[in-house]
Amino acid sequence: MSDTVPAGVTIEDLHKSYGDNEVLQGISITVNPGEVVCLIGATGSGKSTLLRCVNRLEDPNSGRILVGEFDATDPDVNLDAMRRKIGMVFQQFNLFPHLSVLENCTITPRRVLKQPRAEAEAEAMHQLELVGLQHLAHRRPAQLSGGQQQRVAIARALTMKPSLMLFDEPTSALDPETVGDVLAIMRDLAQAGMTMIVVTHEMGFAREVADRVVFMNQGRVVEEGPAQQVIGAPAQPRTQDFLRRVLNPLGE
Amino acid sequence: MALSNRERARLSLGIQAGIFAAIVVVLILLVDWGAVQNSFFDLESVSGMFPGVITVGLWNTIQYTFFGFLFGLFGGTLLALMRLASFPVYRWIAAIYIEFFRGIPAILVFIALGFGASLAFNLNLSTLQTASTALAIVGAAYIAETIRAGLQAVPKGQMEAARALGMPAWRAMVSIQIPQAFRIVLPPLTNEAILLTKDSSLIFVVGMAGSAAELTKIGRDGILQYGAGMTPLVVAGVCYLLITVPLSLLARRMEERGPGRSSRRRPRKKATESPVTAGVK
């Protein structure tokens, strides 16, 4: 984190449809540099699509996204250069199964940034140490537990020295006992000053770590504000309804 | 009395084995072993085939197949990428090529190349060039479909993760998608190599000098030369098996080892960890 500057994100009136299905119906969100924003909402509310528009894994139909110095929606933007500054962590980890843990972390610095092998490996080992997995550097991803794989995925993203991290339901595919390790690393990252946008169902994490929480429903922002307010005392009936079902799945 | 399931299964197996044994016995009794011996297994008369059948025939067959497969692999990979390209003209060209060369008999390609190419382009191709090019042309069509399926079998998240890290599309293809696809298609590719090994015999339609003769040519010439019936063809056939059987054993081993996609497998849960201490740091 020492040599990266956290970037801010500005999203203005973003629209995205698949055919007739309008998944994002005019989203506007601002994330300040160093801020942690959690996106919450039911499945299909558009939060993952919104996240994937930020690094242009999805192309929005209209609207504007600014990430630090980059205009992500400019047709002439250098997408690869922009993505190098945006780390992304996926629900299914998406580690490269044919490469060792260490190679997962060094392939992009070496092949894209043309870093010498020794330099890339030193940085990768440093990042693996921060997620507590340097002893597994020479294993294959398949030999790791889900929680370990996700920690490697975070380390892999950090070797690119991003100024923004996107997390797309990072703990949803994990065994319950490994969720804590991943969330702890994300909390450390937030405390180190990284800008983070996190799609999550972990209300405890959102309440503790997020500076702001955005509740989305059917492609719109219904409510946003400090975590204590949105999760602790939601003003909108739909937010109240959603939280009641998430926090108390069995009803009364 | 009713039979139990296990007894019924044993009885059924016994009947099958009995029928099989009866067929073998009948065949053994019916066959004129003397005649078979004379026209198929007269190994003494064809001792003159050695060592040429190995040093020339087997060696040439391996060479023609190896280069044919190698170029076919390059061509097939290119065609597979064209099939999956977003530019429609590439897709059409690849689709037409694949349909055409999968649809016509390989022997026509050998004839076209052996006789047509020398007329059309005033080329004088060596036997190695003709055989390996013809095999590459045919092989590429089959290999393209195999590799296309392999590329599509790599989970979409792999490409997304690579692009999200900032890899350009070609780099993600070369470093992430193609290596994983190759692991998936190695067993079927080995089968393509086996098919090409046998198709290399088709070069006989073009004809070749003795030093360029491959196994089938040597076998056919041997029939005239040794007066030992079909024995030279049997020798050639055994030589083909020397190539193809190890290849299939290799393919089977690779299939057993799996294509390296095991990251989808869920990790085994630790049963010892109590739910109370789990996740507490």
Side-chain angles (χ1 to χ4, degrees):
Chain A
M1 281 299 295
S2 50
D3 46 352
T4 57
V5 186
V9 180
T10 309
I11 299 169
E12 289 170 6
D13 195 28
L14 200 71
H15 289 261
K16 167 75 185 173
S17 355
Y18 298 106
D20 289 339
N21 182 17
E22 197 172 15
V23 200
L24 299 178
Q25 306 179 9
I27 303 276
S28 299
I29 297 174
T30 306
V31 182
N32 297 314
E35 208 176 14
V36 177
V37 171
C38 281
L39 302 179
I40 63 172
T43 306
S45 57
K47 31 191 214 315
S48 283
T49 307
L50 176 64
L51 199 69
R52 292 161 59 87
C53 282
V54 172
N55 69 349
R56 289 284 305 280
L57 286 181
E58 301 285 348
D59 292 328
N61 297 91
S62 66
R64 200 146 179 252
I65 304 174
L66 302 175
V67 181
E69 68 205 273
F70 293 98
D71 179 348
T73 38
D74 178 352
D76 294 327
V77 68
N78 183 342
L79 272 185
D80 293 327
M82 181 185 87
R83 285 169 175 158
R84 276 164 222 154
K85 290 279 134 202
I86 307 176
M88 185 160 194
V89 175
F90 299 85
Q91 183 178 354
Q92 297 295 340
F93 333 132
N94 294 352
L95 293 182
F96 306 132
H98 61 302
L99 301 177
S100 73
V101 164
L102 185 63
E103 288 164 335
N104 263 276
C105 298
T106 56
I107 186 161
T108 322
R110 286 183 62 199
R111 299 287 176 225
V112 177
L113 304 180
K114 305 294 176 199
Q115 283 178 15
R117 185 194 183 109
E119 185 189 322
E121 288 188 347
E123 172 63 22
M125 286 310 282
H126 173 64
Q127 293 297 344
L128 287 172
E129 207 178 316
L130 292 182
V131 300
L133 293 177
Q134 70 276 26
H135 59 293
L136 299 178
H138 299 286
R139 298 271 183 91
R140 288 294 169 110
Q143 296 171 291
L144 273 52
S145 74
Q148 291 170 333
Q149 290 192 48
Q150 194 61 298
R151 283 146 73 191
V152 172
I154 294 172
R156 175 175 74 176
L158 291 176
T159 57
M160 295 298 286
K161 307 224 164 47
S163 31
L164 163 69
M165 284 289 287
L166 308 174
F167 292 86
D168 189 0
E169 301 200 24
T171 58
S172 297
L174 296 181
D175 292 333
E177 74 261 26
T178 63
V179 168
D181 294 339
V182 172
L183 291 180
I185 286 160
M186 291 168 62
R187 185 190 54 209
D188 294 349
L189 195 57
Q191 281 166 357
M194 177 66 81
T195 313
M196 292 164 56
I197 306 179
V198 184
V199 172
T200 188
H201 293 296
E202 298 286 340
M203 293 305 146
F205 174 83
R207 200 195 280 257
E208 187 194 343
V209 179
D211 296 301
R212 269 185 307 135
V213 170
V214 175
F215 173 68
M216 287 177 64
N217 188 42
Q218 295 183 339
R220 292 178 200 278
V221 173
V222 174
E223 186 165 0
E224 69 167 292
Q228 297 300 338
Q229 180 195 316
V230 176
I231 297 176
Q236 297 292 329
R238 267 179 303 200
T239 319
Q240 294 165 358
D241 188 49
F242 171 77
L243 286 170
R244 194 180 309 122
R245 277 182 285 127
V246 171
L247 298 175
N248 190 9
L250 293 180
E252 298 306 312
Chain B
M1 201 179 79
L3 293 170
S4 75
N5 275 342
R6 185 180 295 188
E7 284 166 334
R8 205 176 299 146
R10 208 184 275 164
L11 183 68
S12 155
L13 256 184
I15 293 173
Q16 288 171 41
I19 293 174
F20 180 73
I23 291 172
V24 171
V25 168
V26 168
L27 277 179
I28 288 174
L29 293 176
L30 282 180
V31 167
D32 178 350
W33 286 107
V36 168
Q37 171 87 45
N38 286 338
S39 56
F40 288 100
F41 298 103
D42 187 2
L43 288 176
E44 273 166 43
S45 311
V46 299
S47 59
M49 286 179 79
F50 296 92
V53 66
I54 305 290
T55 55
V56 178
L58 186 66
W59 177 235
N60 279 330
T61 292
I62 289 174
Q63 279 190 72
Y64 300 162
T65 309
F66 175 78
F67 287 108
F69 184 73
L70 194 66
F71 296 132
L73 195 57
F74 281 121
T77 307
L78 188 67
L79 283 166
L81 293 175
M82 286 170 72
R83 270 302 300 252
L84 299 173
S86 48
F87 185 47
V89 175
Y90 285 159
R91 291 203 304 269
W92 298 335
I93 293 173
I96 291 169
Y97 180 97
I98 291 167
E99 286 310 324
F100 185 79
F101 285 105
R102 275 201 315 181
I104 63 169
I107 198 167
L108 295 188
V109 178
F110 278 87
I111 292 172
L113 209 63
F115 301 111
S118 56
L119 286 176
F121 304 106
N122 205 10
L123 280 175
N124 197 6
L125 296 178
S126 72
T127 307
L128 173 61
Q129 287 166 336
T130 310
S132 55
T133 310
L135 289 176
I137 288 172
V138 176
Y142 288 94
I143 290 169
E145 285 297 273
T146 307
I147 290 183
R148 180 185 60 81
L151 287 171
Q152 287 178 326
V154 176
K156 219 176 93 215
Q158 291 293 310
M159 199 60 167
E160 284 184 350
R163 299 306 305 277
L165 280 164
M167 287 192 198
W170 67 269
R171 166 54 70 189
M173 192 49 109
V174 169
S175 292
I176 305 303
Q177 199 168 10
I178 289 181
Q180 291 184 56
F182 264 94
R183 267 155 227 244
I184 296 169
V185 301
L186 262 179
L189 272 188
T190 317
N191 290 333
E192 308 289 354
I194 290 172
L195 292 177
L196 287 189
T197 306
K198 295 180 296 174
D199 278 353
S200 67
S201 64
L202 295 173
I203 190 66
F204 83 86
V205 293
V206 180
M208 70 209 90
S211 62
E214 42 69 64
L215 286 170
T216 301
K217 162 86 170 164
I218 286 185
R220 289 161 61 94
D221 288 355
I223 295 176
L224 304 175
Q225 204 176 333
Y226 297 106
M230 298 293 170
T231 310
L233 279 185
V234 172
V235 172
V238 170
C239 288
Y240 279 109
L241 293 177
L242 289 180
I243 305 174
T244 56
V245 170
L247 275 178
S248 357
L249 289 178
L250 192 70
R252 197 166 311 160
R253 262 196 64 185
M254 287 185 299
E255 232 158 332
E256 278 162 11
R257 270 178 42 198
R261 281 187 302 172
S262 39
S263 68
R264 281 173 168 182
R265 202 177 50 203
R266 281 180 66 76
R268 206 172 296 141
K269 285 188 191 174
K270 275 183 237 138
T272 49
E273 202 168 9
S274 100
V276 181
T277 57
V280 175
K281 287 200 71 147

